[in-house]
Amino acid sequence: MNNTAMNQTDCPEVKVPFPVFFTVGIVSLAENLLVVVAVIRTRNLHSPMYCFMCSLAAFNTIASLSKTWENLMIVFADVGHLKKRGPTETDLDDVMDSLLCMSFVGSISSFLAIAVDRYITIFHALRYHNIMTMQRTGAILGLIWTLCAVLAVLMVKFSDSYFIIICFIVFFIISLAAICFLYVYMFMMARIHARNIARRWGSNMRGALTLTILFGAFVVCWAPFFVHLIIIMVCPLNPYCECYRSLFQLHVVLMMSHALIDPAIYAFRMAELRHTFRKRLFCLKWKL
């Protein structure tokens, strides 16, 4: 018995019902659009940290939209309304993959920008407004979105190359290490200077803790997908690896769930955003 046959017999692919994909995609899309609108239209939230969080929500919106649209295409193909391997469908699939790559790179870049912003807030509080001006924040966001768009196109265009996959994984690991280092350093310093922090840095450390929770959720939701990429390169035909790959649709649902979880963390941990959400939802109900 060859590997393929054994893999198909022992570890059949786990299928996730389309309504699950669609529900997660639509709910997360609505949640993150609410975050984007809340930050844009509320003056009290026009600060570097909330701008970076708005960018993160926008990337989550792109991820939700792209995966929902991709799953709709799969459903249409299954019922015969689209060709599974037609030239138009292949191009659309490449666009969806490009947007997903852009969302990932943009999300982790936004997390890195937020981590740096929190570091400056805590350890350079007196100079913060001179360092993190809105002009610099805009320039950083412009750089993030430009680089993400370029990298996403390159990743999809050369997706068959292992070099691109390796770069993708290395970027994830390096960014993860840099963000973890900043947060660990901040909390170590917080413990050393506990009394001063209690008087001056309490709210800033609470914000850093909230963002640490957000980043932890990001890692948990995206890590299985990256293990999948590593397995593709390291052991593409091994039956045990194939068993893990058979769970790919579950990994995709978990990856999409990150966009669903973030707004809930915002609402639970951040009073300003929670108040803004209530106000926006109340206005929306009043208009309806």
Side-chain angles (χ1 to χ4, degrees):
M1 182 181 292
N2 59 34
N3 283 335
T4 303
M6 182 169 59
N7 293 341
Q8 291 176 347
T9 301
D10 296 342
C11 296
E13 183 180 5
V14 176
K15 297 287 187 179
V16 176
F18 171 74
V20 175
F21 279 110
F22 189 76
T23 301
V24 173
I26 292 299
V27 174
S28 60
L29 179 63
E31 287 182 346
N32 283 282
L33 281 176
L34 178 61
V35 174
V36 172
V37 171
V39 173
I40 291 175
R41 300 191 63 178
T42 306
R43 286 185 175 274
N44 292 340
L45 303 181
H46 290 180
S47 65
M49 184 187 74
Y50 283 111
C51 287
F52 293 134
M53 290 177 64
C54 181
S55 174
L56 177 61
F59 283 119
N60 284 339
T61 301
I62 291 173
S64 301
L65 187 62
S66 62
K67 292 308 297 181
T68 302
W69 180 253
E70 186 177 47
N71 282 289
L72 281 173
M73 288 177 59
I74 292 173
V75 170
F76 289 147
D78 288 341
V79 297
H81 293 299
L82 286 176
K83 296 179 181 179
K84 291 188 176 182
R85 294 297 177 185
T88 302
E89 290 75 15
T90 301
D91 290 341
L92 283 174
D93 187 61
D94 287 343
V95 171
M96 295 301 104
D97 289 342
S98 178
L99 290 175
L100 185 62
C101 291
M102 179 180 180
S103 171
F104 165 75
V105 176
S107 294
I108 201 165
S109 298
S110 297
F111 273 119
L112 185 58
I114 292 171
V116 173
D117 176 77
R118 290 298 85 194
Y119 176 86
I120 296 172
T121 302
I122 294 171
F123 297 105
H124 300 281
L126 298 178
R127 298 173 52 209
Y128 174 77
H129 293 292
N130 293 327
I131 298 173
M132 291 300 299
T133 63
M134 291 304 294
Q135 290 81 3
R136 288 178 180 172
T137 301
I140 293 170
L141 288 173
L143 180 62
I144 289 174
W145 280 83
T146 301
L147 288 177
C148 288
V150 173
L151 288 173
V153 172
L154 291 176
M155 286 176 183
V156 172
K157 187 174 181 60
F158 301 103
S159 59
D160 293 335
S161 170
Y162 277 165
F163 176 75
I164 295 298
I165 298 178
I166 292 171
C167 290
F168 202 40
I169 294 170
V170 169
F171 172 79
F172 176 72
I173 293 173
I174 292 176
S175 300
L176 178 66
I179 295 170
C180 287
F181 172 79
L182 283 173
Y183 281 128
V184 169
Y185 181 76
M186 280 190 282
F187 286 113
M188 285 179 63
M189 294 300 294
R191 187 170 182 177
I192 293 172
H193 301 285
R195 292 184 179 178
N196 290 333
I197 290 172
R199 289 195 294 265
R200 296 182 300 158
W201 299 346
S203 60
N204 289 333
M205 289 307 301
R206 179 176 172 80
L209 180 59
T210 300
L211 297 170
T212 303
I213 295 172
L214 287 169
F215 183 65
F218 174 82
V219 173
V220 170
C221 292
W222 280 86
F225 175 74
F226 276 88
V227 174
H228 181 88
L229 292 181
I230 293 172
I231 284 176
I232 289 176
M233 295 188 300
V234 176
C235 53
L237 299 178
N238 185 284
Y240 297 103
C241 294
E242 191 65 25
C243 282
Y244 184 86
R245 291 177 62 185
S246 69
L247 303 175
F248 179 68
Q249 288 196 12
L250 291 177
H251 302 158
V252 174
V253 171
L254 184 61
M255 184 174 64
M256 292 174 65
S257 298
H258 170 249
L260 190 70
I261 294 170
D262 274 6
I265 297 175
Y266 298 151
F268 181 74
R269 295 282 305 178
M270 309 183 84
E272 287 183 330
L273 270 178
R274 184 165 61 248
H275 174 73
T276 302
F277 290 163
R278 288 174 180 171
K279 184 177 178 181
R280 295 296 171 191
L281 288 174
F282 178 78
C283 291
L284 180 61
K285 289 179 180 179
W286 182 262
K287 290 179 181 179
L288 293 176

